[in-house]
Amino acid sequence: MSLVIGLTGGIASGKSTISAMFTGMGITVIDADIEARLAVEPGEKAYNDIVSHFGTEILEEDRTINRPRLGEIIFNNEEKRLLLNSIVHPAVRERMAQKRAKAEEANERAVVMDIPLLFESKLTGLVEKIIVVYVDEQTQLDRLMKRNRFSEEEAYSRIKSQMPLKDKVSLADAVIDNSGSIEQSRQQLLDILSEWEILRAE
């Protein structure tokens, strides 16, 4: 049986860095964001449902969905946001479940479900162990301003729109403090995986 690990964090906490480390170790990572993009490509069921509910004005000339335009429609409309989620989320979960089953059939020791909103979307039931990638709020703020060229106010409002990282830490099975060097984060990950007997002790 593969151990199913949920990987989560907060905006600009460096979760992608840790995700890449798993991949580098040959551990399958199933990324919810990537699956969400694939689920709404032309021809997919979720795509057809979205177009039939939201109309063709959300489409680009090449028939792909204009995400910013769709985002504007749902941003201030709770009903439409819930409708969109009710179309996209099941499709994403199904895609992730298929990939997870594949990894389990291949007898992989572990499979990682990389889900940014693992707690907020109440998806903890999909995983057996949870790793939270943590940085303190000031580091998060600095990184986000630098990465996205946000003002302090913009960055702060993005951080505040998510569940606080310190609350996620209290719900995690393991925490990687990602405020130091990449090497320090990598060592923390190796320690967790050897404790969970995913990696053979070298």
Side-chain angles (χ1 to χ4, degrees):
M1 278 299 287
S2 309
L3 177 70
V4 182
I5 299 170
L7 179 67
T8 194
I11 191 167
S13 66
K15 181 177 60 60
S16 321
T17 305
I18 306 300
S19 185
M21 287 178 192
F22 273 110
T23 305
M25 292 171 189
I27 295 171
T28 296
V29 175
I30 304 167
D31 184 323
D33 283 346
I34 291 173
E35 297 308 321
R37 279 198 289 276
L38 295 172
V40 297
E41 285 191 343
E44 294 285 335
K45 181 183 181 300
Y47 169 91
N48 296 335
D49 289 347
I50 291 168
V51 175
S52 74
H53 285 289
F54 291 90
T56 51
E57 60 271 19
I58 60 158
L59 296 181
E60 300 277 18
E61 281 178 16
D62 64 0
R63 311 297 292 166
T64 57
I65 290 173
N66 179 318
R67 294 166 78 91
R69 203 173 301 156
L70 182 58
E72 279 165 26
I73 293 170
I74 64 163
F75 188 68
N76 292 315
N77 189 319
E78 181 69 1
E79 197 180 322
K80 288 192 168 164
R81 189 178 67 80
L82 292 173
L83 171 63
L84 182 65
N85 287 347
S86 74
I87 296 169
V88 176
H89 288 175
V92 173
R93 279 204 285 270
E94 190 179 327
R95 292 181 71 89
M96 292 184 80
Q98 285 168 355
K99 292 195 171 174
R100 171 184 163 172
K102 219 172 181 175
E104 288 178 334
E105 278 164 28
N107 280 328
E108 293 180 25
R109 292 177 70 81
V111 55
V112 176
M113 307 285 251
D114 179 341
I115 307 176
L117 300 177
L118 182 69
F119 296 112
E120 293 91 332
S121 303
K122 300 186 171 47
L123 296 176
T124 51
L126 297 180
V127 301
E128 294 158 304
K129 294 272 193 191
I130 295 171
I131 297 177
V132 166
V133 183
Y134 173 82
V135 290
D136 62 73
E137 197 171 86
Q138 189 57 50
T139 307
Q140 212 180 355
L141 199 60
D142 294 344
R143 286 183 183 174
L144 190 54
M145 285 163 65
K146 194 172 161 190
R147 187 185 79 186
N148 293 36
R149 296 193 171 83
F150 283 159
S151 67
E152 187 166 342
E153 201 178 331
E154 284 173 319
Y156 194 66
S157 75
R158 295 296 162 93
I159 290 169
K160 283 292 163 218
S161 73
Q162 295 187 342
M163 180 177 169
L165 261 175
K166 58 181 188 303
D167 294 354
K168 294 184 179 186
V169 163
S170 63
L171 298 168
D173 295 291
V175 177
I176 292 175
D177 182 342
N178 201 28
S179 16
S181 68
I182 285 197
E183 204 34 66
Q184 286 169 325
S185 296
R186 186 181 166 78
Q187 192 52 55
Q188 293 175 67
L189 177 59
L190 291 171
D191 292 345
I192 293 164
L193 295 181
S194 52
E195 189 187 325
W196 291 350
E197 298 179 355
I198 303 301
L199 293 182
R200 303 266 183 236
E202 294 301 322

